[in-house]
Every structure is written in C-alpha cells, then in structure tokens.
Amino acid sequence: MVSGNLFHCRKNSWPPEEYINRNTLQLFDFDSAAPPEHAWRRKLNCNANLLREFSVTFREAIKMVRLGIRLWSYIREEASHGRKAPIDPFTRESCKPSAAQGVPLGGMGSGSISRGFRGEFRQWQIIPGTCEGSPVMANQFSIFISRDGGNKNYASVLAPGQHEGLGKVGDQGISSWGWNLGGQHSTYHALFPRAWTVYDGEPDPELKISCRQISPFIPHNYRESSLPTAVFVYTLVNSGKERAKVSLLFTWANSIGGISHLSGDHVNEPFIGEDGVSGVLLHHKTAKGNPPVTFAVAACETQNVSVTVLPCFGLSEGSSPTAKEMWDKMVQDGQFNRENFNSGPCMSSSPGETLCAAVSASAWVEPHGKCTIAFGLSWSSPKVKFLKGSSYHRRYTKFYGTSERAAQDLVHHALTNYKRWEEDIEKWQNPILKDEKLPEWYKFTLFNELYFLVAGGTVWIDSPLPVTNINENQRQLTNVEYTDVKVTEAEANNKQGTVVENTATGHHRSVKLDPQNDNEDVGRFLYLEGVEYIMWNTYDVHFYASFALLELFPKIELNIQRDFAKAVLSEDGRKVKFLAEGNWGIRKVRGAVPHDLGTHDPWNEMNAYNIHDTSKWKDLNPKFVLQVYRDFSATGDMAFGVDVWPAVRAAMEYMEQFDRDNDGLIENDGFPDQTYDAWTVHGVSAYCGCLWLAALQAAAAMAFQLGDKAFAEWCKTKYLKAKPAFEEKLWNGSYFNYDSGSSSNSKSIQADQLAGQWYTASSGLPSLFDDFKIQSALQKIYDFNVMKVKGGRMGAVNGMHPSGKVDESCMQSREIWTGVTYGVAATMILAGKEKEAFTTAEGIFIAGWSEEGYGYGFQTPEGWTMDGHFRSLIYMRPLSIWAMQWALNLPKAILEAPTINIMDRIHLSSFSSRSSQNESGVRKIATKAKCFGNSVFNCAC
C-alpha cells in the first residue's frame, strides 16, 4: 500500500543527519566510510511492500482478444521448443515483485546480481535473458562480537526480518542462525555504483558499523567496467570502553538463483592467494547445457585481520557440517580452523543438496578504535551461449582469460584496486553532486537510474566488429565529389580527447571517446528492453536510453549504431506471423531499421518482436538517422560517419514509400505503427511526423558534411515541402494534434509530440519550428499532461484530451511513461523551461523513488497508471534521465554549432529534382569508403 501523503508537498531533501546520528557520522568521517551527502536512503526496518501490476480494462481486453489468442498460441509453441517467448503476459513469476531493490553488483555485461536495500542478494541474471528474482537467503553477512570480560556477546545476521522456519525445533538450516537485527537503527544509502549500509549500534550498542558496497562502473574505462566483481568494505568503530573481538562472516550458496543449487555436481574449494586475499571458489555446473559459472568469495588478510574459511556446509540435516554447526562454531570461536585451507576441493554435491561456503574475517578493535575489513565477490562465466547456438566470450576474458579460475584473479584485483575505483567514481560524480543549481533528488536519481546498465540483462562480448581500415577509407573517400567540405586525414583518424576543426562548419568537436587507448576495440554490447520484454537492444526504446551510453561509454554507443547500420542493409526472408493482425511477412526487410537485434540468437536473427510488422513502423528509421547524426555531431568521429552513411541513405530512401500524397511527409497507416504499439495512428502524426522532419534535417546536415551533395539537396527539398504541410495539418494554434485523422483522440495532447525537436536541439541543428510553437506546445503539455495528473506529482501522462480528461483510448494513452517523461523534461530544458522541466521529471521521482511513492527504486518500470499500477519493471527507457543532463551540459561541438542554418548552406540545383530511389549513390560511397565491404548490399542474414 502507498501512504496517504504521497501527494502532499514535501521538499525532496534527504540529509544523512535525518537517518544517522550526527556523532556516528563524525566517527565515520574517514576513508569514505560515511554515506554521501546526496543519496537515496531507506531504513532497514521499512516494509518491502508488494508492488501492484497493471491490468487492462474490459474495453481494452475486448479489443485485444484476437491478439491474446494468437500470443497464447505462440508462447505455447515456443515452450514446446524449450524457448521462452520474448513477451509473455500470461506467466507470472513465482517471486512477487516488492519494493526491496538496491544497487546491483559488478560491472556491465558479465552477468549481474542485485542486492536489496535490506541485504538480500536477488535478481540473478547470470544466464543471458534469464532473471531469477527470488533472493538466495543463505547469502548473508553476519557479525559476531565478544568483549574483554565476556559479559557482552552478540551474534546476528546483518539483515532484518524473520526467516521462514525460524524457531523450528531441531532445524539445521539457516533459520537456526541469529536473525536478531531489528533494523530500526540501520540505514541504507545508495549512490550508484556504490551503496552504504550503516548499523548505528545494531546489534551491539557500542559498535558502529558501515558497510560500503563498490562496483567497477567507471565511465570511459572499458576494461574495469566490464569486470564481474564487487567489494564490501566494513568499517568498525568501537565506542565502548572495552576491547572488542569482531568477526564478520560472509556466507554464499553455490547457486545462480532459483533452484539451481539443487541440480547437483557443484564443487567448492578453498584458496590462499597473493596479498592476503584468501577465500573459497564455488564451481557451479549449470543446467540445460548452459556454460558453467565459478564464484569467488574472499576477504583480505592484513596485520590486524585474520581470514579463515569453511569451504563446505549444507542446509539440511544430513550435511556435514550443517548450517547450524557452522553458526555454532562462529559463536564459540569467531573463526574456522586454519587447516581448512588445505582441504582441497570437496566432493561434488548430489541432486537436491545445497552446497554453501563461508569466509570469516576477524579483528580486535580497541576502545574508541577503528578497523577496516574488506570482502570481495566475483563470478566468472566466460562463455555466453544463446539458445539457438551462437557462443561468444565475454569482454572481461580479454583481460582475464577463459579459465574457470579467473574468478580468483578477479576478486584479487577487486580487493587490491577498489580505492582507485572510488577515486575515479568520485571524480566523475562530484561536479554534478556539488552543482548547487540542481535539485537534490535529481542528483542521486540521475546516477541511480544507471543501475539498468548493470541489471538490465546486459551482455558485453569480446567479438570485434568488422575491422575498418580508416586510412584506406580516407584515400578512397577523397575520390568522392566534394563542394566546400574538406575532410582531412586528421579528421578521419580523429583521436579521442582531441579537438578537431571541421572546415565545413567552422565549429569544434570535442566530445572525448576515450581518454585511454583510443584504438581499443571495445567489442559488442547488448541490453534488454526490460527483464519482462526479452529483446536485445530494442531500438525505438534505445532512442531514449542512448544518451546515457553516449555520455558515459561513447564507444559502446557508436558500436551499437554500427550494428544497426549493418542491419539496415541486410535482409532475412524467413516468414513470420504477426500476432496483432494474423498476417504474414518476412523477418527483416532490407532498408528497414530492425525493432531489435533478436532474442535467442542476437545479431543473426533480428526482430524477435512479432506483434506488428515493424518494417511498416514510421518511427524506427527516423530514429536511426537522428541518433547517428547526434553521435556523429557530438563525437566528430568522421570514420564512424563514413561507416554508417550508406545505411543512413538507405533508411531515408526506404521511408519514401510512406509519403503517399507527395507532400514530403510520411503518413501513418491506421494501426499502432510506432513505439506506442497499442495506440493507433491515422494519417500524419505529431510523433512520427516530427521525427521525420528532424531526420530530414539531420540527414541533410550529415550528407553536407560528408560531401554527398546530391543527397543533401534531396533531403532539403523534401524538408521544404514537409514542414509547412506538417504545420498545416496538425498545428491548432496551441499544440500539435495527435494525428490528422478524425478519431476521438485525434486532437489529444501527446506528451511526446516534440520528440523530433528534442533531437534537433540535442544535436546542434536548427529548431524545426518557430519559438512560439515550441514554447506553446511545451506549456500545453506541462499544464495538461503534467499538472492535471495529481498536481504534477506522477510525471507526464502520454495522452490528454484538451478538455483536461486523460485519453483512455488504449492502455498506453492513459499511462505515464517514465522514460518519455524524462525526455519531455530534456526538451523543456533545451527550450529554456528549466523550472517546468524539473517539476515534470520530479513527478517520476516522487511516485517511483521517494519514500512516499510506489516503491520502484532500482526497478523503474516502463510506466504506471494514474493509481500507480506498474507495467514492465526494470525497463530500459528511464535511462533517458541522462538526456536531461545532456541538455544541461551540451558538448562543445553542439554548443558551438554554426550560427548559419545548415539548411541554408545547402544550395539547391538540378540534383534536387532527381529521384534518390536508385542504389548507385549509396553503393558508390559505401564501396569507395569500404565501410562494410560490397557484400552488405547482397546480405540476407
């Protein structure tokens, strides 16, 4: 349940003093032990309420009944082949979602484990496309404290709550442990990629404990950010008058979530490593032919810290030793036998048996003294195997190899390098955190929304793209006809971190691609649309999310665009049944941007989405052109521009078929042919039409800069026809109508109507419309879609009638989409409406992330309804909050965009009347530049 004061005005300022005693904060004021000034906070004893999923209305259900029948049949057919359908609304997870999430562990793309704010290790995504939501309760930190004199002894799991079976007579499992933490004096503080848990006198009133969780998510560092490892640094402060012996215990089950621990053949073995790093390796043999996984749990032995291990214990009565015996040993001795390090690998587990390991680190803490104990966790699953057979090596194997013992090297690296990680993280975050102009809620939500780049099912492989010989590109490119554009060798070989002058525009491009190795091949990257929508790199959603990657990992962003550029020029003729209408088509049409890169064989079998035929969608191709131009403009990477240019041309030319009345505009086709795939569109639409206008301008600008004079003129000619037609058909004096049809919602106010303008402003291109229209439309959206929804405290509803009533023509029109709201806020910032922008975006924070909200922290859904029911948790699109940061701090290249409208620099000639339907222009540039080689024009992947 949501508390009744959700919509009461509250200043979203969360000073740590409201959560932790000021004296305790002062005690932790060293070695980063104190939580940061700006963070997302929770008390450990607050309830992790169950979340409420949306449901369709009766009218919506009637409309979708045929789709539902076809989808049900498709899901069953996929299941008969041992596959999970990418969209399955009929199957509910056994673990009901709750408001219990926290900062996930590890870097990007090597599998992820989330950790709830109460300490549970949950949301296991080690196998690509599989998410096990339930926590593995044997995975815990515990503490054992004894003081000189022996009068004050404490033993407790460092997680609150009552475990199932607690108090059962004779129980030998984890319910026999000391679950004694109340949590009322313990707090969690999250600032991704770090988190702090502070135990302020729990369980020992005279011992203050800070646990700092650190993962190697470091922008522009393409090595460390790929590592599957995390560190937990415990800082202990003894405020009592007696010396205390403190033993911390880290227990871990040989499991990858779900019931995987019961499958058998798992083996644990202890290790003693260099630099005092010692622990246990847990070798996990996965089921169903998936690649094996090895975990390493370890602690760092120092002069004051002693590390011991128990390589194996079980959770049932027949185990030797049992979980209860392990716990009793720690209560009595505070450590295990040193001889355990010499025990070697244990016997493999039997089916139905759970195999666990424990690492203990013990130290004496003097009266008023301090001590630090560091634990590490890593996991190594070097091979990614997709269901239809393709296998790859994860990126981290480039540095640590493919041995199962890489987990030991990873945990050693983590425990000996985490301080350097923290320095780099603070250097990245501090300029934003210390910016007094920014609201506090925005500062920490901006960073915390990045959780998705770890927990969004990401896969990062060490498979290079086709190698492009840039110098050869340049020699060939000089043979292409240029007017006043001069592409120098320095530009084509543009080095990251340098400033390159473009003689065509006279402005500088200075977005750094990588301050380290500028020639480094960073491999290929996948992330899910959402853990419930299992499709890789869903492109219409990436349009919103991509600002985060461009800002923080631009080489990954450019490689994703290269993947889609290659896909545009390919074709897959296999037949597919589209479930919305029951019609048939081919899987991938040449010239069409794919909806996604696939599910069970990404890159090789695209378009896993089969609700509609996305080759007829009107937003995908313009979105590709807009993203490519934004990335090209911001980075100044001329080689990237040359690589993707044939696909840009093909994508634009493909769209000509949808201009059926020759007015330069594309028309929608009376079905949901866009990212709003349940919201029907008729005729010209504000959303797709605006994207098309922006794409014409972007393609013209890119053609001009690459020297493709004929195509620049073709785009300009189209644009000059399309813009007045768009305004005539949709502008109503206040905003742009939803579409030019005559349906009941044609005059609806769509929150996302200026998506094209958002991208032109984000890319340094001239505005699509005069300032009055932009300001008026944004004000209308703010006044109606934002402020008429619970006083502006929920975000922007997608559709609103001009009467002030929510558009309920379909489930999506009545939803508030989190990522779209952030995108609308970014558009407002770019238009100088910062106050309205932050009020708009704050609604997402209040409803989704705040203490009074619905509990969507670290699992931001695609959207919610007016009563807070969610749809699709852990979703990609909310990464668009980084579009707000992009708008606030535009790159130098975009800030210094030419004052002369680039469209005015394109002079029309006889070229402008020529048809651009023939392939020769695209082929000429692609062949001469050798972007992908000649074979791409005959590719049928």
Side-chain angles (χ1 to χ4, degrees), residues 675-694:
T675 194
Y676 300 91
D677 59 349
W679 199 356
T680 299
V681 201
H682 300 276
V684 176
S685 76
Y687 184 68
C688 297
C690 189
L691 289 171
W692 174 242
L693 290 180

Side-chain angles (χ1 to χ4, degrees), residues 65-227:
V65 65
R66 292 180 180 175
L67 167 62
I69 292 169
R70 296 187 192 106
L71 183 57
W72 171 252
S73 176
Y74 169 70
I75 291 167
R76 293 186 64 184
E77 180 184 353
E78 286 293 282
S80 71
H81 296 290
R83 297 190 295 263
K84 185 176 180 180
I87 302 175
D88 180 1
F90 304 108
T91 304
R92 291 290 175 263
E93 300 297 330
S94 56
C95 175
K96 293 184 178 181
S98 64
Q101 300 294 356
V103 174
L105 304 170
M108 300 189 298
S110 296
S112 72
I113 307 164
S114 289
R115 190 170 184 233
F117 71 84
R118 291 145 62 94
E120 311 100 333
F121 294 87
R122 55 196 310 141
Q123 295 293 139
W124 298 74
Q125 297 188 80
I126 305 296
I127 297 172
T130 299
C131 181
E132 296 286 355
S134 300
V136 176
M137 292 305 294
N139 297 352
Q140 297 289 348
F141 284 101
S142 302
I143 195 164
F144 304 83
I145 307 159
S146 61
R147 293 184 179 271
D148 284 351
N151 296 323
K152 300 175 182 177
N153 296 324
Y154 302 90
S156 180
V157 178
L158 287 174
Q162 300 287 306
H163 186 268
E164 288 182 22
L166 190 65
K168 274 174 66 175
V169 177
D171 182 72
Q172 300 295 306
I174 64 174
S175 63
S176 65
W177 296 355
W179 298 84
N180 302 317
L181 194 80
Q184 63 268 29
H185 300 299
S186 301
T187 52
Y188 179 83
H189 313 258
L191 185 64
F192 178 89
R194 297 190 291 173
W196 291 254
T197 306
V198 177
Y199 307 88
D200 192 358
E202 286 189 279
D204 181 347
E206 295 181 334
L207 187 70
K208 313 298 184 183
I209 309 165
S210 169
C211 173
R212 192 162 86 257
Q213 172 187 312
I214 309 148
S215 293
F217 182 98
I218 303 166
H220 304 285
N221 188 326
Y222 296 86
R223 174 180 171 132
E224 302 293 286
S225 299
S226 72
L227 304 183

